[in-house]
Amino acid sequence: MFNLYKSSAFILLRGFMVLLACLQAGNGMASLLPFDFPGSILGLFILFILLSTQLLPLNWVYNSGQLILRHMAILFIPVAAGLLGYVDVLSEGIGLILSAAFIGLVLILLVVGRLYQRMQA
């Protein structure tokens, strides 16, 4: 007998629906805020809270998340193609962009290292 609730299509669809519900809840919360904030970040925060409090079992979203991560590189192709239209703008500020990225990396490493040392003491 075919069990619908154990089929891989149902499991993937359930996971996508949960992820989409968290995204829509985050977008709804973002529209209520008096300042601009990305709803997708709020949606990820909602998903994190649901998973960490175990209100949502991990196996409900695990397979769908793995599928999205496996094909995530494809999602960056349109962004990279769009950036090609702004090569002249990017080439003018490449020094500033690289220095900001490097300074940010160094600051993150220093803060994480310091926090790790404090946690070990």
Side-chain angles (χ1 to χ4, degrees):
M1 186 88 190
F2 179 71
N3 189 352
L4 174 68
Y5 297 110
K6 292 193 179 194
S7 70
S8 61
F10 177 78
I11 291 171
L12 284 175
L13 184 62
R14 178 183 61 194
F16 286 132
M17 296 309 276
V18 168
L19 293 174
L20 188 61
C22 289
L23 173 65
Q24 291 303 320
N27 286 335
M29 286 176 57
S31 68
L32 297 175
L33 293 175
F35 51 87
D36 288 336
F37 197 82
S40 58
I41 301 298
L42 290 175
L44 282 174
F45 188 64
I46 292 169
L47 181 65
F48 172 74
I49 289 172
L50 289 174
L51 289 171
S52 62
T53 58
Q54 296 181 352
L55 292 173
L56 177 69
L58 177 62
N59 63 356
W60 279 26
V61 294
Y62 182 79
N63 291 333
S64 300
Q66 288 297 315
L67 182 66
I68 291 171
L69 285 175
R70 194 175 319 129
H71 300 292
M72 189 170 60
I74 296 171
L75 300 175
F76 287 106
I77 293 172
V79 175
L83 283 176
L84 290 177
Y86 299 98
V87 171
D88 54 338
V89 176
L90 291 173
S91 64
E92 290 176 9
I94 193 72
L96 187 59
I97 293 170
L98 290 176
S99 63
F102 181 74
I103 290 170
L105 174 70
V106 169
L107 286 175
I108 289 170
L109 288 173
L110 289 173
V111 169
V112 169
R114 187 68 175 151
L115 287 174
Y116 180 76
Q117 286 177 344
R118 282 190 165 190
M119 288 173 55
Q120 295 301 316

